[in-house]
Amino acid sequence: MIDTPLPSPRVVVFTDKLDWHVDHTLAAFRALGATPVAVRLSACRIDTSRPHGLVLPGFHALPDLAIVRAIGDGSLEAITMRLGVLHALEALGVPLLNAARAIERCTDKSMASFLLAQAGLPTPETFATQSPAQARAIARRECAGGPLVMKPLFGAQGWGLRLIETENDIPSLEEARGVYYLQRFVGPSRPPYEDMRILVSRGAVVAAMKRRSSHWITNVRQGARPVAVAPTVAERDMALAAAQAMGTVFAGVDLIVGADGAPMVLEVNSMPGWSGLQRITAFDIAGRLAADALADIPSPRMAGRGLG
């Protein structure tokens, strides 16, 4: 009896725009024999008249794998529905990278800080409140020991960060979008400033870099320069532990050196970019990540997965 080859794995790559990362991700999956399709989560919908209750543009059957590159901007209701689509895919048995719950944990910086601290990982002292009076009181108390950084609760790539040196730097509730997320500033008082990004996949370190800048915001998109680096054993272990604490399979873990010279975790990104890291990495990062992701597909793949 001759076995019939399985069709190529069907991969949905969720995004909000067709950028460099999506292009490289699609190319990497194609090179490995998969059939990837970029889909905006905002274009997906719940439809309980269908056998599986979902409509994904470009798919007449459930995908074999789902990759989440971006959720996209939108109202609380819109974001909740998009996350609902991801939860639904998981409920239907579709491997999802990262899991919806892990994305929720990482996206909400206050919950991420809470989970990292509860896991016993060193991380800057963090305060989150919805009260302007409490935010000013925190700044009045904590800025005596050094500045704080105010970050958008949902934000990335260094946008919207604000240095808080006195309580007068605390913005209005409207400017803060209803939540004050304040974190102890860690780093030197003058340039150069730097931190470390470690890319983690399936319990292993894929690549790492230092991000060096003349500005205290060290994201590459904000002008920081990527510098090749080999993480120490302690830094590798910390990055892997942080990714595990957040429930991520694939993550970008940001570390910074504290005043005592030891590393600490700044944050864990469940949908990280790697364009800056690729500039100083010899192998194709997208190819490595795609191969790791395809390993999550059960073999032989499930039959009868029509969307209706």
Side-chain angles (χ1 to χ4, degrees):
M1 179 178 176
I2 299 176
D3 292 334
T4 302
L6 288 170
S8 64
R10 299 157 299 172
V11 182
V12 57
V13 179
F14 288 121
T15 184
D16 61 342
K17 58 185 176 182
L18 298 176
D19 60 7
W20 182 94
H21 289 94
V22 173
D23 288 343
H24 281 252
T25 298
L26 296 176
F29 277 113
R30 292 191 192 103
L32 292 170
T35 303
V37 179
V39 174
R40 287 180 171 84
L41 263 174
S42 59
C44 301
R45 67 183 190 271
I46 302 291
D47 185 344
T48 60
S49 70
R50 306 291 183 105
H52 288 292
L54 283 177
V55 177
L56 307 181
F59 287 85
H60 297 294
L62 286 174
D64 297 297
L65 174 69
I67 305 295
V68 186
R69 276 296 318 145
I71 299 291
D73 294 330
S75 65
L76 177 60
E77 290 82 0
I79 300 302
T80 298
M81 179 180 165
R82 293 171 203 172
L83 288 168
V85 170
L86 300 182
H87 280 293
L89 282 170
E90 288 184 293
L92 292 167
V94 177
L96 181 67
L97 295 180
N98 279 297
R101 185 67 181 123
I103 292 171
E104 290 169 348
R105 288 172 169 176
C106 292
T107 302
D108 177 356
K109 288 186 176 65
S110 61
M111 177 53 65
S113 293
F114 171 81
L115 291 171
L116 290 170
Q118 288 297 302
L121 291 164
T123 187
E125 292 178 328
T126 301
F127 314 88
T129 178
Q130 298 177 63
S131 163
Q134 290 176 5
R136 287 192 294 270
I138 290 167
R140 188 162 55 247
R141 182 185 72 234
E142 297 298 329
C143 287
L148 302 173
V149 177
M150 182 174 161
K151 304 179 181 181
L153 198 64
F154 307 126
Q157 300 174 352
W159 303 111
L161 272 59
R162 183 187 297 230
L163 198 64
I164 305 296
E165 297 180 286
T166 74
E167 66 175 294
N168 294 328
D169 294 327
I170 295 293
S172 69
L173 188 62
E174 183 179 6
E175 287 181 279
R177 301 183 67 178
V179 174
Y180 297 90
Y181 174 90
L182 302 163
Q183 191 172 68
R184 173 69 62 195
F185 174 82
V186 177
S189 59
R190 60 178 63 88
Y193 302 94
E194 67 178 26
D195 63 7
M196 181 181 293
R197 161 63 61 88
I198 299 181
L199 198 63
V200 172
S201 178
R202 296 183 68 84
V205 169
V206 174
M209 66 177 172
K210 283 189 175 179
R211 302 180 294 193
R212 195 165 292 158
S213 177
S214 59
H215 193 275
W216 64 271
I217 300 176
T218 55
N219 296 74
V220 173
R221 286 287 186 92
Q222 299 273 23
R225 180 169 59 93
V227 178
V229 64
T232 65
V233 172
E235 289 164 341
R236 284 174 172 265
D237 289 347
M238 186 172 292
L240 295 177
Q244 183 177 32
M246 304 304 293
T248 54
V249 174
F250 161 58
V253 182
D254 295 342
L255 306 182
I256 195 164
V257 175
D260 60 356
M264 60 173 57
V265 183
L266 278 176
E267 60 183 271
V268 179
N269 302 272
S270 63
M271 297 173 284
W274 63 87
S275 58
L277 188 53
Q278 186 64 77
R279 283 154 53 185
I280 47 98
T281 302
F283 61 89
D284 179 31
I285 294 175
R288 163 66 185 276
L289 298 177
D292 284 354
L294 288 171
D296 274 356
I297 298 177
S299 183
R301 298 196 299 281
M302 296 168 59
R305 295 160 64 90
L307 280 170

